[in-house]
Amino acid sequence: MKPPAISAIQEIELNIDPGTEIDPWPRYGLAAKYKPFILNRVKLFLQNNGHLNRNEVITDAIRITWEASQKFKQELGYDFSTYLRHLLPNRLYDLYGIEKSKKDEEEPDILKTEPLQFRGGGNGARLVLDTGVLSVGVRVTGNYLTGTLERLRDNTAVIPRDHEDAQAYLRAIVDHTERREREAQAEAEDGGVVLLEALDLQADIRLFKDNRLFRFKPR
């Protein structure tokens, strides 16, 4: 006796791998760009709410991020992570009907949870300028660190923090400042005018609406 025929639909269903999962992350846009940041915020949220399903929380976090991206005003000059930092966990608490405890409301210092990145400058020394409303991280080679830092203290105050291209201008200022320090030292040694090329130091620029040093004073 012949076994019963399998319909086309049944055959398709049998060929589906039950272990296959669809990656919910968008490939483009702010949600894709800020994936590590979003996962970090979700991790902190789940540490205090471990009974929730991680995949469901991530899916909701992606949706909240997309909604936030539609309202984000890049022309104000702030990084999207600044806008999302409080909004994302607050929306998750509201979504799951969880009341925030005092511990949940304690915001860690962002420069400890998300340290400055030192991408350029080869193996140079790390330079950090932190005014409370502006943090700069960059690598500087040679003996130019101290002079560059002193120049940056004055030069970075030129650009208003709410300028739409503030971060781009500040990166250019960092490159220019390091070049001027190299030129100044070369002129002091050799005499005359020295003109050098600026290096692409890829400075990490963080802008803050409020002075973070008032909350996180160094100890």
Side-chain angles (χ1 to χ4, degrees):
M1 183 175 178
K2 283 176 125 187
I6 299 177
S7 68
I9 295 178
Q10 288 176 314
E11 188 173 354
I12 292 174
E13 289 177 347
L14 289 174
N15 287 332
I16 294 177
D17 180 2
T20 301
E21 294 183 2
I22 298 175
D23 184 358
W25 284 98
R27 298 180 61 185
Y28 308 100
L30 291 175
K33 180 179 179 181
Y34 287 87
K35 179 178 178 179
F37 174 83
I38 297 167
L39 285 176
N40 183 62
R41 303 306 287 175
V42 168
K43 178 182 178 181
L44 295 174
F45 176 76
L46 287 174
Q47 284 177 351
N48 298 320
N49 303 281
H51 62 286
L52 298 175
N53 182 284
R54 181 178 182 274
N55 290 336
E56 290 181 4
V57 173
I58 289 176
T59 301
D60 289 326
I62 293 171
R63 177 178 55 79
I64 292 170
T65 299
W66 181 86
E67 293 174 352
S69 69
Q70 305 304 299
K71 301 177 182 179
F72 176 61
K73 296 181 179 179
Q74 189 173 3
E75 63 271 15
L76 294 179
Y78 297 109
D79 190 80
F80 182 59
S81 62
T82 303
Y83 178 71
L84 194 63
R85 179 164 295 105
H86 295 288
L87 184 145
L88 179 55
N90 288 341
R91 288 287 305 277
L92 287 173
Y93 275 103
D94 292 341
L95 179 64
Y96 288 95
I98 301 173
E99 185 176 351
K100 294 179 70 174
S101 66
K102 186 177 180 180
K103 179 181 178 182
D104 295 331
E105 293 176 349
E106 292 177 354
E107 180 71 14
D109 185 353
I110 182 176
L111 293 186
K112 291 185 177 179
T113 58
E114 300 166 37
L116 288 167
Q117 302 296 310
F118 300 89
R119 295 179 287 262
N123 295 320
R126 293 184 175 187
L127 180 154
V128 175
L129 172 64
D130 190 357
T131 68
V133 294
L134 163 69
S135 293
V136 178
V138 64
R139 285 188 183 275
V140 177
T141 57
N143 299 317
Y144 311 114
L145 183 103
T146 302
T148 300
L149 178 60
E150 292 303 318
R151 292 173 183 271
L152 275 179
R153 294 184 193 279
D154 297 327
N155 293 348
T156 52
V158 175
I159 304 299
R161 289 184 296 116
D162 58 352
H163 192 285
E164 62 179 340
D165 296 317
Q167 287 184 318
Y169 280 132
L170 286 167
R171 287 192 185 94
I173 285 176
V174 171
D175 294 347
H176 168 74
T177 301
E178 188 272 345
R179 177 186 65 182
R180 281 297 303 127
E181 179 60 22
R182 285 188 286 119
E183 290 175 342
Q185 290 195 25
E187 289 170 356
E189 292 178 4
D190 304 330
V193 177
V194 177
L195 299 177
L196 301 174
E197 291 289 332
L199 303 175
D200 181 11
L201 299 176
Q202 303 177 44
D204 187 359
I205 307 291
R206 311 283 182 90
L207 297 170
F208 305 97
K209 291 183 180 180
D210 302 312
N211 193 322
R212 49 175 291 280
L213 293 182
F214 289 154
R215 292 187 58 197
F216 307 108
K217 295 180 181 179
R219 294 179 181 179

